[in-house]
Amino acid sequence: MHIIVCIKQILNPDIATTNLRVDEKAKRVVPLPGISHVISPFDAQAVEAAMRIKDARIDDTKVTVMTMGLQSARAVLKVGLAMGADEGVLLADADFEDTDSKATAQILVAAIRKLEDADIILTGRQAADGDVGVVGLGIAELLCRPAITFAKAISSTNGMVQVVRVLENGFETIEAPLPVVVTVAHEIGKPRFSTLRETMRAAKKPVQTWTSSELRLNPQEVSSAGAHRRLERLYIPVKMTKCEVFDGGTPENTAAKLAQRLKEVGAI
Amino acid sequence: MTKDSGVMVVAGWEDDFSLTGLTTEMLGLARRLSDELGGPVSAVTFGKNLQSLSQPLYWQGADEVILVEGCNLEPYQADAWLPDLVKVIQDYTPKVVLIEHTVIGMDLAPRLAFRLDTSVAMGCERVAVKGEKILFTRACYGGKVLEEISFANNPSVATVKAKTQTSLMPDYCRTGNLMVVSSSVTDAQIRTRILDRNRVVSEGIRIEHAKVVVAGGGGLGGSEGFEILTELASVLGAALGASRVACDLGWCPPHYQIGLSGKTVAPNLYIAIGISGAGQHMAGCTNAKFIVAINSDADSPIFHCSDFGVVGDYEQLVPALAKEIQKLIT
């Protein structure tokens, strides 16, 4: 079995808003110096899901981690490899910058086709920077494969995949034939820690780098795919809220003051 | 019908065949957009024996109702809905297609955009006409940043976040055109199969409808914390919610989760207890009328987005608050 996990390097999503700036003219997020780049947390969970499938299977299962980005995105491939993935693929090309979800899906699909047949393609439910959640389903559409979103558990038997899917008020179990695309929800749980040994081993695992020409992509096609979407404005919303803090000395007095105020404003 | 005009809403409904709150919100939005853009508001919905839905759809703003009827359309599966949805959209050629930003909509909209070879804006909080363009405003970077995007291709597909739009007052005199279509999809075309479905029936008030929400986070320190919150919630007639941290730690059921990857609520009063106020959480409750923060850390970002706050130990404060509120409301 071959599992491909598509992962993305993003600005650390845990940074405080105060460490984030937006250059409104360039319409870009500018991190303050020293802010790290990390694997998108949902994608780390997609790698975890791949490793759990691999651990549960008796056959030879290969896990490939794939990312599109700058040369620096190699770092997230290393994260995936240190978690136990077998190979890495980096898609790096100047043409790949500023692509929209559609172009991204097209580029990833070109690379997926170039690799040996994938049985399961995994992505996080959304990248934690754009918070869009389109690429995974786009891959499925372009490859004409079934897709299941928001997985909290994945297993594969008899040429099928069984996925427990998170609903608003519960869960459903869905089955689909391989090959299939599955997007992973955070409900799948914590990604495993990499041991020092795995991290050392990861350094020796093969990582291929492909550019646009190696994927036989038409650069015009890739750039025009993104041309329908126009970013008009990017900004940090200003919060006008001023917090009225209560302190009555004792919990009872504080609670009484707060309750009184809530009553005054019609909150209770 | 003029090509690329009007707004189509993919309507959702509850088990009792009433429209979802979000669908009435989307119809209100569609009405406002259509009045500016021209063209009708159409509503399409999937299921069987849906006739009773057409009237509420007109009352809330639809001019045209398209019911796609079939035996394999419930519960939702993308393969069952997409072929007919694509056809309906190609027939009606709306300029904008609005879909609920729910588990169904988040699964459906991206696929639809690819099939129509068009663009999609996910989780919109605002949709507005500006000259020739339609601007879609949505949160990114875990709710810390907002982006406004427009598209050059038609139709634009957008998912709309709950509690961000205003529904119209139902106009019981409104009526419109009804079209009933039989689903063209056979079981063989549906590649997925639902083996099992467990829906948690939450006791008490549904969090999406609650006037008051009491939510707990990592600061509670354990599942016992939710027992203390339950006491306050029962005094207030509130629904219980939680931050992602508390859900991930297993202190409460996953459907308690409020935020970007959970539910969106807009109660009159939101009481956040032991919640730090991460952007991705606040994205789910920012439209609450009043936010109260109770947190032991005075520097917690939650105090930047709350109207009222108390710095202190929730284990002492929350029972005291329950008592005081009880006194005031009885």
Side-chain angles (χ1 to χ4, degrees):
Chain A
M1 167 171 275
H2 184 205
I3 304 172
I4 298 177
V5 192
C6 300
I7 59 181
K8 185 179 181 187
Q9 186 180 46
I10 63 163
L11 207 59
N12 189 341
D14 292 329
I15 58 167
T17 314
T18 44
N19 285 330
L20 209 61
R21 295 277 180 281
V22 168
D23 179 342
E24 293 203 24
K25 217 168 211 162
K27 293 177 226 167
R28 273 180 185 282
V29 168
V30 204
L32 293 185
I35 301 299
S36 57
H37 284 76
V38 296
I39 181 171
S40 175
F42 299 119
D43 296 347
Q45 287 169 308
V47 177
E48 173 63 28
M51 296 315 300
R52 288 188 200 166
I53 300 169
K54 181 175 166 130
D55 292 346
R57 287 182 65 90
I58 41 169
D59 71 347
D60 226 8
T61 299
K62 184 169 101 176
V63 176
T64 302
V65 281
M66 177 188 284
T67 192
M68 187 185 94
L70 305 169
Q71 284 293 334
S72 63
R74 239 168 232 285
V76 295
L77 293 179
K78 295 285 179 213
V79 172
L81 295 171
M83 285 174 69
D86 302 287
E87 291 180 14
V89 176
L90 173 65
L91 311 174
D93 195 306
D95 285 347
F96 298 167
E97 280 182 52
D98 290 326
T99 50
D100 69 353
S101 305
K102 186 162 181 188
T104 305
Q106 283 172 337
I107 295 160
L108 290 170
V109 161
I112 289 164
R113 288 196 169 122
K114 197 173 152 78
L115 287 168
E116 67 185 90
D117 287 343
D119 300 289
I120 303 177
I121 297 162
L122 298 176
T123 70
R125 58 171 284 171
Q126 66 202 52
D129 53 356
D131 286 321
V132 175
V134 167
V135 170
L137 286 163
I139 292 169
E141 284 297 315
L142 295 174
L143 290 170
C144 295
R145 291 181 182 184
I148 304 171
T149 47
F150 310 119
K152 72 162 250 164
I154 310 171
S155 58
S156 178
T157 51
N158 306 323
M160 309 283 275
V161 70
Q162 296 82 28
V163 175
V164 181
R165 181 168 185 267
V166 181
L167 304 173
E168 266 99 8
N169 290 301
F171 305 100
E172 65 183 4
T173 310
I174 306 252
E175 187 172 67
L178 303 178
V180 67
V181 176
V182 182
T183 79
V184 174
H186 67 87
E187 281 86 351
I188 205 145
K190 275 213 170 99
R192 62 196 58 197
F193 287 110
S194 311
T195 59
L196 183 62
R197 193 169 148 267
E198 281 294 337
T199 308
M200 305 273 279
R201 277 187 57 204
K204 297 196 189 80
K205 289 177 181 172
V207 174
Q208 301 188 70
T209 306
W210 291 338
T211 60
S212 187
S213 63
E214 277 152 310
L215 295 177
R216 294 169 193 274
L217 284 162
N218 178 346
Q220 252 171 346
E221 220 172 289
V222 171
S223 57
S224 73
H228 289 301
R229 178 187 185 277
R230 199 183 137 82
L231 180 58
E232 303 279 351
R233 190 178 168 213
L234 192 73
Y235 60 104
I236 295 175
V238 186
K239 294 217 172 72
M240 300 299 282
T241 321
K242 200 175 173 320
C243 188
E244 192 179 331
V245 179
F246 294 83
D247 185 2
T250 65
E252 289 72 25
N253 286 340
T254 306
K257 282 186 172 180
L258 174 59
Q260 195 59 48
R261 188 82 175 100
L262 291 176
K263 174 111 181 165
E264 274 167 33
V265 296
I268 54 171
Chain B
M1 209 175 293
T2 327
K3 199 170 157 22
D4 302 327
S5 75
V7 181
M8 182 175 283
V9 171
V10 179
W13 36 273
E14 308 281 0
D15 293 342
D16 64 358
F17 285 98
S18 61
L19 299 180
T20 63
L22 180 48
T23 283
T24 64
E25 285 182 55
M26 290 196 301
L27 287 165
L29 170 63
R31 196 69 263 165
R32 287 186 288 279
L33 292 173
S34 265
D35 290 346
E36 283 193 68
L37 294 167
V41 171
S42 49
V44 56
T45 192
F46 294 79
K48 71 174 179 219
N49 304 325
L50 299 175
Q51 251 80 353
S52 63
L53 282 172
S54 59
Q55 283 200 319
L57 287 166
Y58 302 137
W59 296 339
Q60 294 295 148
D63 303 304
E64 318 259 348
V65 170
I66 305 111
L67 306 176
V68 182
E69 300 247 2
C71 294
N72 49 20
L73 302 177
E74 299 166 53
Y76 160 84
Q77 291 186 91
D79 281 350
W81 286 23
L82 271 167
D84 290 303
L85 181 55
V86 168
K87 257 187 255 168
V88 168
I89 290 169
Q90 284 166 347
D91 282 352
Y92 282 75
T93 62
K95 182 144 181 75
V96 183
V97 179
L98 301 177
I99 300 179
E100 297 189 346
H101 193 66
T102 55
V103 168
I104 289 178
M106 287 187 269
D107 188 89
L108 178 68
R111 305 182 201 238
L112 178 66
F114 272 81
R115 291 215 187 167
L116 294 169
D117 196 18
T118 188
S119 308
V120 58
M122 300 296 290
C124 296
E125 299 181 0
R126 224 172 23 238
V127 184
V129 180
K130 191 181 169 193
E132 296 290 294
K133 286 178 189 164
I134 302 170
L135 300 182
F136 299 91
T137 306
R138 59 178 299 279
C140 49
Y141 290 88
K144 295 187 193 89
V145 179
L146 289 178
E147 62 176 10
E148 256 174 42
I149 46 181
S150 68
F151 300 119
N153 41 4
N154 286 312
S156 302
V157 177
T159 65
V160 178
K161 242 178 94 168
K163 312 284 182 185
T164 59
Q165 312 297 321
T166 317
S167 313
L168 301 176
M169 288 297 289
D171 174 353
Y172 301 109
C173 302
R174 276 192 104 250
T175 181
N177 296 321
L178 176 65
M179 171 83 94
V180 182
V181 185
S182 289
S183 163
S184 66
V185 176
T186 61
D187 286 346
Q189 285 169 272
I190 306 173
R191 296 166 293 183
T192 49
R193 198 158 65 92
I194 301 172
L195 300 179
D196 185 29
R197 211 155 202 268
N198 294 302
R199 282 162 83 195
V200 184
V201 183
S202 51
E203 312 133 40
I205 314 133
R206 285 246 315 257
I207 194 161
E208 298 93 324
H209 303 162
K211 291 261 186 289
V212 183
V213 172
V214 175
L220 295 189
S223 58
E224 313 79 50
F226 278 93
E227 287 165 32
I228 300 177
L229 267 52
T230 306
E231 204 185 313
L232 175 62
S234 71
V235 169
L236 284 163
L240 281 174
S243 71
R244 190 172 135 181
V245 176
C247 294
D248 283 354
L249 289 166
W251 296 349
C252 61
H255 65 265
Y256 275 30
Q257 195 194 321
I258 291 164
L260 208 59
S261 49
K263 293 193 171 69
T264 305
V265 297
N268 186 44
L269 174 61
Y270 189 82
I271 306 181
I273 302 163
I275 289 177
S276 67
Q280 64 90 7
H281 178 76
M282 299 316 291
C285 62
T286 187
N287 286 333
K289 188 160 181 213
F290 297 104
I291 299 179
V292 174
I294 298 172
N295 204 298
S296 57
D297 176 7
D299 296 326
S300 175
I302 188 80
F303 292 112
H304 297 298
C305 29
S306 306
D307 303 284
F308 306 113
V310 176
V311 181
D313 177 6
Y314 84 93
E315 287 185 60
Q316 296 184 348
L317 198 92
V318 171
L321 186 61
K323 229 176 263 167
E324 292 298 330
I325 290 174
Q326 179 82 60
K327 274 193 234 165
L328 288 180
I329 59 178
T330 46

